[in-house]
């Protein structure tokens, strides 16, 4: 019956059986370059959407469309893009242009960002506060017990002089572990293992106490971070949503950041937890297994814990002589106004050490014969003079700009790069640059991931593109996969394909039964 309900209305069926909540956003629309040549957005380093949907698929369930965030699917994976040589410029941008697998005659503009990798010996001192939800709803094995395992994993990556505190909240707020050096790991683990779940959820009291502890031990040369671990059953307490977000924004300006790890299902508040993490200059991740805990806390500890750039924004100006239309794939909840790009007071996401961020635009070249997605404006001015293809500007598809601030600075810096015909993948394949050959493979795998997410959402832009097409693209470009995340992705695509096939078969049988027995299903 679950498969049948999935086919008729996945979103309503899922919300009926569970209390999980997600932010609903409209998919990005097609933009006409002549009228809107500039696209601006904040990068996104959250990954919770992918791991949450993975859990559903492993349980043989299709996800509600609002649970699927395309950019979080893409950025769940690490990508081997060229890295900057040192921390003076914290990340490097790579661009490429390929044929779109979704629509004949269209192209994809790929933008990849890779932060510099931090050597363990260069890691700054850490002042970390674990803020742990120990309310009754956290008692299940996939909640507090898994959260305790995750915290122990991160503890094992820290330096002896780092400080760790533990704040718990349920009906009351407690501090079972005052600030303690990691050198006293035995005592920290003893306190950690003693945590148990019971009572209601006084979340705001816990947040206030966690910031109080972080402030008492604040070190301007250290990473000062609060890590909230919860199932999302977050009682606002004495503050409403707006007041709590404002409070976290204010604390962010002091240099204390907040990250959120989600656990469990049934009352998972994805929308609220991402809001907390985004306002706290942190990462929102969903931990569904020990393997995911290891990924977040060990494999990606540097990118989780140590920011190398904050308020990272991207602005792309498309060349109307080369690009007729464009569509940003994902990032709907990260869109910014054009004027926000140069405004250093406008907040955006951070990038951690070694972090990779990818964005895709589907573009329609000028002169493509198929009907454009958006009608021409009657009174728009044509390009005054068609650019000669031999000129520098005439070879540019777009101009990509990125603004960022170093973690301890308040004034942004600018990086820019043009995407030209020389960045087309056919030409990249001909040049003697192994790093760009690897990047081209990485972009193709990212395209497979973006395709999968859009199929799960049921986006109209995927008309004619199938799970089989995703498998073909991913398997041909799996690249380096030391931890098996990409092979797991391929297994998930196969699972979604089988669920969809079985679901469609049941619907067909139900329709035949309905027709043969003259039954009306309301």
């Amino acid at each position: 019956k679950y498969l049948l309900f999935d086919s008729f209305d996945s979103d309503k069926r899922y919300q009926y059986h569970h209390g999980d909540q997600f932010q609903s956003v409209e998919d990005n629309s097609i933009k006409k370059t002549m009228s809107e040549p500039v696209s601006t957005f904040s990068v996104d380093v959250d990954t919770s959407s992918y791991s949450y949907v993975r859990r559903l698929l492993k349980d043989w369930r299709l996800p509600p469309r609002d649970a699927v965030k395309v950019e979080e699917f893409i950025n769940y994976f690490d990508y081997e893009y060229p890295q900057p040589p040192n921390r003076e410029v914290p990340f490097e941008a790579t661009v490429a242009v390929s044929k779109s697998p979704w629509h004949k005659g269209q192209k994809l503009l790929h933008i990849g960002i890779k932060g510099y990798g931090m050597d363990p010996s260069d890691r700054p001192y850490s002042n970390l506060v674990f803020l742990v939800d120990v309310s009754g709803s956290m008692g299940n094995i996939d909640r507090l017990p898994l959260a305790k395992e995750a915290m122990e994993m991160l503890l094992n990556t820290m330096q002896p002089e780092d400080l760790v505190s533990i704040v718990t909240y349920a009906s009351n707020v407690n501090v079972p572990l005052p600030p303690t050096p990691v050198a006293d790991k035995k005592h920290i683990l003893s306190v950690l293992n003693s945590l148990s779940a019971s009572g209601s959820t006084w979340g705001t009291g816990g947040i206030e106490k966690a910031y109080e502890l972080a402030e008492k031990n604040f070190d301007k040369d250290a990473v000062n971070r609060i890590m909230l671990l919860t199932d999302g059953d977050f009682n606002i307490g004495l503050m409403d949503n707006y007041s709590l977000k404002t409070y976290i924004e204010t604390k962010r300006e002091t240099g204390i950041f907040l990250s959120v790890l989600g656990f469990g299902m049934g009352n998972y508040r994805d929308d609220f937890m991402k809001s907390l993490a985004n306002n706290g200059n942190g990462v929102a991740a969903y931990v569904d297994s020990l393997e995911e805990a290891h990924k977040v806390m060990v494999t990606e500890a540097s990118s989780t814990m140590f920011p190398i750039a904050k308020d990272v924004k991207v602005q792309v100006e498309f060349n109307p002589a080369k690009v007729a239309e464009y569509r940003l794939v994902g990032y709907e909840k990260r869109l910014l106004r054009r004027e926000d790009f140069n405004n250093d007071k406008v907040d955006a996401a951070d990038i951690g050490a070694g972090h990779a961020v990818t964005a895709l635009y589907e573009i329609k070249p000028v002169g493509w014969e198929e009907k454009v997605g958006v009608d021409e404006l009657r009174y728009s001015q044509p390009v005054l003079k068609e650019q000669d293809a031999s000129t520098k500007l005439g070879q540019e598809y777009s101009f990509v700009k990125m603004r960022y601030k170093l973690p301890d600075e308040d004034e942004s810096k600018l990086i820019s790069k043009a995407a030209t015909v020389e960045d087309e993948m056919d030409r990249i394949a001909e040049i003697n640059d192994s790093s760009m050959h690897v990047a081209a493979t990485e972009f193709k795998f990212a395209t497979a991931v973006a395709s999968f997410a859009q199929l799960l959402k049921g986006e109209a832009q995927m008309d004619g593109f199938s799970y089989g097409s995703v498998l073909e693209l991913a398997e041909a470009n799996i690249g380096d996969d030391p931890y098996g995340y990409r092979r797991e992705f391929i297994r998930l695509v196969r699972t979604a394909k089988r669920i969809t096939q079985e679901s469609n078969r049941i619907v067909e049988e139900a329709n035949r039964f309905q027709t043969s027995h003259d039954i009306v299903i309301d």
Side-chain angles (χ1 to χ4, degrees), residues 34-300:
M34 283 296 295
S35 57
E36 294 184 67
V38 177
S39 171
T40 309
F41 63 96
S42 162
V43 300
D44 193 345
V45 294
D46 296 339
T47 60
S48 56
S49 175
Y50 180 84
S51 48
Y52 181 90
V53 170
R54 175 182 61 203
R55 181 171 182 176
L56 287 180
L57 291 173
K58 286 183 175 181
D59 288 342
W60 202 255
R61 287 182 284 176
L62 293 174
R65 75 182 313 275
D66 287 339
V68 182
K69 310 299 183 189
V70 180
E71 67 279 6
E72 294 184 29
F73 269 54
I74 297 171
N75 292 324
Y76 179 86
F77 299 92
D78 188 27
Y79 298 97
E80 292 300 318
Y81 303 138
Q83 287 183 287
N86 56 61
R87 67 177 65 189
E88 298 304 318
V89 179
F91 55 83
E92 186 166 323
T94 303
V95 297
V97 179
S98 70
K99 295 177 182 178
S100 172
W102 308 323
H103 298 103
K104 182 180 178 181
Q106 298 194 26
K107 297 180 181 292
L108 291 183
L109 168 63
H110 308 258
I111 303 170
I113 300 172
K114 184 74 170 184
Y116 76 85
M118 183 177 291
D119 189 277
S121 62
D122 293 333
R123 286 184 176 183
Y125 159 79
S126 293
N127 169 31
L128 176 64
V129 180
F130 286 123
L131 175 56
V132 188
D133 180 353
V134 293
S135 62
S137 63
M138 285 288 285
N140 291 351
I141 194 169
D142 62 343
R143 302 185 189 193
L144 183 57
L146 182 55
K148 289 158 68 172
E149 295 266 14
M151 286 184 280
E152 183 175 348
M153 289 179 187
L154 181 57
L155 188 66
N156 289 333
T157 71
M158 299 179 72
Q159 303 175 72
E161 62 272 20
D162 292 338
L163 279 185
V164 171
S165 313
I166 298 178
V167 175
T168 63
Y169 65 91
S171 300
N172 298 297
V173 174
N174 293 295
V175 184
L177 182 74
T180 303
V182 171
D184 195 359
K185 187 182 297 184
K186 184 176 180 181
H187 174 59
I188 298 173
L189 290 177
S190 175
V191 173
L192 189 60
N193 291 327
S194 70
L195 301 181
S196 59
S198 66
S200 57
T201 313
W202 186 24
T204 53
I207 283 184
E208 289 172 330
K209 177 58 72 173
Y211 275 110
E212 179 184 321
L213 277 183
E215 288 171 348
K216 282 184 178 179
N217 297 278
F218 182 84
D219 186 331
K220 65 181 181 62
D221 296 322
V223 171
N224 301 275
R225 185 177 296 278
I226 297 168
M227 187 169 288
L228 169 61
L229 301 95
T230 177
D231 64 353
D233 189 8
F234 197 90
N235 190 323
I236 299 301
L238 300 178
M239 296 186 191
D240 58 23
N241 280 12
Y242 178 78
S243 299
L244 183 57
K245 292 174 187 176
T246 303
Y247 175 80
I248 291 172
E249 285 178 355
T250 302
K251 295 299 183 182
R252 175 188 72 207
E253 298 305 318
T254 68
I256 300 172
F257 296 163
L258 171 69
S259 291
V260 182
L261 301 187
F263 297 83
M265 285 185 169
N267 48 7
Y268 176 64
R269 290 284 309 279
D270 179 84
D271 54 344
F272 184 61
M273 290 195 287
K274 281 178 182 171
S275 176
L276 294 182
N278 295 341
N279 284 283
N281 272 13
V283 174
Y286 177 79
V287 180
D288 61 331
S289 63
L290 285 173
E291 291 77 16
E292 184 64 17
H294 189 275
K295 178 179 184 291
V296 174
M297 298 299 213
V298 179
T299 307
E300 299 176 354

Side-chain angles (χ1 to χ4, degrees), residues 394-441:
Q395 296 188 21
E396 292 183 4
Y397 286 102
S398 65
F399 192 64
V400 181
K401 298 187 293 185
M402 285 163 285
R403 282 203 173 274
Y404 69 93
K405 301 172 189 170
L406 293 175
D408 57 350
E409 296 182 2
D410 295 320
E411 186 174 337
S412 67
K413 301 178 186 296
L414 178 67
I415 297 175
S416 59
K417 191 178 187 73
T420 74
V421 294
E422 295 299 321
D423 297 308
E424 293 178 356
M425 288 200 183
D426 290 344
R427 300 198 182 192
I428 290 174
E430 297 173 355
I431 64 175
N432 185 24
D433 187 339
S434 60
S435 65
M436 283 306 299
H437 293 168
V438 171
T441 298

